[in-house]
Amino acid sequence: MTEQVNPAPRQDNQDPGLFGQTPSQTVGPYFHYGLPWKGGADLVGDMDMGARADLFAPDHYMLGRPLVRTGVTGDLITIEGIVLDGAGQPVPDALIEIWQANAQGRYFDGVDNSGFIGFGRASTGDDGWYRFRTIRPGQIEAGQAPHIAIGVLGRGLIKRLSTRLYFADHAANAVDPVLALVPAERRDTLIARKVGAAWRFDIVLQGERETVFFDI
Amino acid sequence: MSQIIGYRPEDAGQPPSLSPGYVSTVPRSPRLPLVKIPQGLTETTGPANAWSRLMGPSMADLTTQHAAMPQGQRIIVAGRVLDEQGRPVPNTVMEIWQANAAGRYIHKKDQWDAPLDPNFTGAGRVITDADGRYQFVTIRPGAYPWGNHHNAWRPAHIHLSLLGPAFATRLVTQMYFPDDPLIEIDPIANAVPPPYRQRLVSRFDIETTRPNWALGYLFDVVLRGPDATPPDTEHGEDDDHD
């Protein structure tokens, strides 16, 4: 065979031979007008927390806001902390997401009309701090300690980092099967502590007291 | 207790958190190994069917959000959201954000000297239909310089954010355009090992293109799929009883 053939076309997204998980890419530094909506960090009320509307003009705010929530029951709490990089510097362009059960330990099932969904999103401020208003989650099942799943996105993060927040005062922490998988000397990085009126949970991306991140 | 079906692990196409070519990953990626945990209800549930309650309705046309048409070339982006088994992921939200035609973001911290467009924000949101299909209309974003290294330029891209059915299926990615020479030298795209980087490159499609109106591009998003065939919930209930 001497006839000429065209070079194979460059592989792309539609190539069946390349089918598989879409690779993760960073959110970059400019996600604030695209992801964190006003009220995204207030899971129980109607405060504007979570967005960074200071980073773009008001007529470019497109993100809407959640419907007003009514009838959310449970122990109202604030969770806050600072996100730090490997040099101990605050991370001003991170995005924190949380996912949690309600006060009865049940996850939102798509039809619950109580107003509590359990998903929240907060951008860090220029000082690296984030803050959520939510309710304290209940125990999902016996033998597990109440916890909140946390995802960390941001500039410099090629893919999401996943961790959990536990509450320092809960006795079931001692028997929680996930905490048991964490080396004992690092468990402390997953425990929120009451500081003033808020539960304090810092997220250290790297270095001394690096937060435990999970492979889920 | 019902059996929990987890999601499959990362495949070979996922980039490492530390990708030194993308300089910001150096101080921001963990140095200690991730702790492997089994997936429970926390990882296999998510805020499905709650998008409009959380975020508001869909915004599938980024070119009609202001008084006049934005500058630039109008395009249609269409595709499907699928799991690893090729099954559609219906009723899931895809959030969208991007630079304008000149490669400038509306964001105040983007100080590049390219013009802003008062008629273009660059933020949108679509929900997949029963077949996992989505489509949105926007303008083709421009390339732009960034400070990662000398003479660094990002290839034109659209940011896409999906939560999928569960906490475990969360994905944020970037869609690139065919025949963009900057992809070859972009540290963020090239954090993805070969050949999988090419999964991020959309395909021009004449069927999606609308005559005398807009060029069309196809881009499917594939999320982590269930780790096993779900048990038959109609007929297997007796096995779950104590």
Side-chain angles (χ1 to χ4, degrees):
Chain A
M1 294 286 282
T2 55
E3 70 182 273
Q4 289 212 321
V5 291
N6 286 320
R10 174 165 292 219
Q11 288 186 296
D12 66 15
N13 175 271
Q14 298 289 300
D15 191 324
L18 213 50
F19 183 85
Q21 292 171 16
T22 304
S24 178
Q25 296 272 271
T26 179
V27 296
Y30 302 135
F31 57 82
H32 298 95
Y33 67 94
L35 289 178
W37 66 90
K38 288 179 183 173
D42 182 2
L43 284 70
V44 293
D46 57 1
M47 295 175 69
D48 277 352
M49 296 165 59
R52 288 290 308 273
D54 56 312
L55 292 175
F56 46 94
D59 59 330
H60 290 292
Y61 186 80
M62 298 288 150
L63 295 176
R65 58 172 308 124
L67 298 184
V68 173
R69 284 152 290 229
T70 55
V72 177
T73 57
D75 180 12
L76 180 68
I77 58 171
T78 297
I79 294 165
E80 63 184 17
I82 189 169
V83 183
L84 297 170
D85 70 11
Q89 294 299 307
V91 177
D93 41 20
L95 185 72
I96 311 300
E97 292 181 341
I98 63 173
W99 172 240
Q100 66 165 95
N102 67 15
Q104 287 75 44
R106 285 204 300 276
Y107 283 103
F108 178 76
D109 59 5
V111 295
D112 178 7
N113 288 315
S114 76
F116 186 77
I117 294 170
F119 180 79
R121 189 181 272 174
S123 14
T124 54
D126 285 337
D127 56 3
W129 281 75
Y130 73 92
R131 189 167 289 107
F132 289 95
R133 285 180 80 230
T134 184
I135 52 171
R136 188 164 167 153
Q139 214 163 353
I140 298 164
E141 55 191 66
Q144 286 191 23
H147 59 271
I148 294 176
I150 295 184
V152 186
L153 302 140
R155 179 173 70 84
L157 279 69
I158 283 272
K159 53 189 177 186
R160 178 185 68 161
L161 298 174
S162 168
T163 185
R164 281 186 180 189
L165 176 157
Y166 288 85
F167 297 88
D169 62 355
H170 204 286
N173 289 346
V175 297
D176 184 82
V178 167
L179 276 178
L181 295 171
V182 175
E185 70 277 10
R186 299 188 64 202
R187 268 174 220 157
D188 193 47
T189 69
L190 303 181
I191 309 292
R193 298 185 186 285
K194 200 79 180 284
V195 176
W199 289 92
R200 173 82 180 265
F201 187 79
D202 292 348
I203 297 170
V204 180
L205 299 177
Q206 184 191 104
E208 195 180 347
R209 279 185 53 76
E210 182 177 304
T211 299
V212 169
F213 297 106
F214 294 130
D215 175 6
I216 60 172
Chain B
M1 188 177 111
S2 60
Q3 189 185 351
I4 288 171
I5 303 297
Y7 289 88
R8 287 160 71 154
E10 283 191 355
D11 78 10
Q14 293 299 347
S17 284
L18 174 60
S19 302
Y22 175 22
V23 173
S24 298
T25 67
V26 175
R28 292 187 171 190
S29 52
R31 286 293 174 275
L32 297 172
L34 302 184
V35 173
K36 175 87 179 157
I37 63 170
Q39 294 175 43
L41 274 179
T42 303
E43 290 75 30
T44 56
T45 54
N49 300 322
W51 310 121
S52 60
R53 286 168 64 180
L54 283 169
M55 306 167 176
S58 73
M59 304 184 292
D61 190 341
L62 284 67
T63 68
T64 55
Q65 294 175 334
H66 297 281
M69 281 291 297
Q71 300 285 328
Q73 185 170 49
R74 181 167 45 211
I75 60 171
I76 298 164
V77 178
R80 300 175 81 193
V81 180
L82 304 167
D83 70 16
E84 281 175 86
Q85 287 83 3
R87 294 174 298 217
V89 180
N91 192 30
T92 200
V93 70
M94 175 191 285
E95 295 164 279
I96 303 153
W97 76 103
Q98 63 169 85
N100 70 19
R104 179 85 185 266
Y105 286 88
I106 204 72
H107 198 284
K108 284 184 181 170
K109 291 194 177 175
D110 183 3
Q111 293 295 314
W112 184 39
D113 182 24
L116 287 169
D117 184 341
N119 290 309
F120 191 72
T121 296
R125 185 191 308 125
V126 288
I127 316 290
T128 57
D129 70 12
D131 297 320
R133 294 188 186 282
Y134 75 89
Q135 178 170 305
F136 62 91
V137 175
T138 185
I139 53 99
R140 184 169 170 146
Y144 59 84
W146 61 311
N148 189 71
H149 56 275
H150 173 67
N151 210 8
W153 293 76
R154 294 292 335 272
H157 60 275
I158 298 177
H159 295 269
L160 302 173
S161 165
L162 300 101
L163 273 75
F167 183 77
T169 58
R170 179 83 173 102
L171 175 73
V172 179
T173 190
Q174 300 181 23
M175 179 199 112
Y176 301 96
F177 290 87
D179 304 321
D180 185 339
L182 294 173
I183 296 170
E184 291 291 334
I185 54 171
D186 177 55
I188 294 177
N190 285 288
V192 178
Y196 307 106
R197 182 194 75 193
Q198 295 301 112
R199 288 176 179 167
L200 300 177
V201 180
S202 58
R203 177 179 291 186
F204 169 72
D205 183 50
I206 195 68
E207 300 298 325
T208 304
T209 297
R210 277 173 58 184
N212 300 313
W213 199 70
L215 296 175
Y217 293 89
L218 291 178
F219 190 79
D220 292 343
V221 176
V222 180
L223 303 177
R224 292 169 70 182
D227 212 2
T229 305
D232 187 336
T233 51
E234 293 289 317
H235 304 295
E237 290 186 358
D238 284 348
D239 295 336
D240 291 329
H241 292 176
D242 289 325

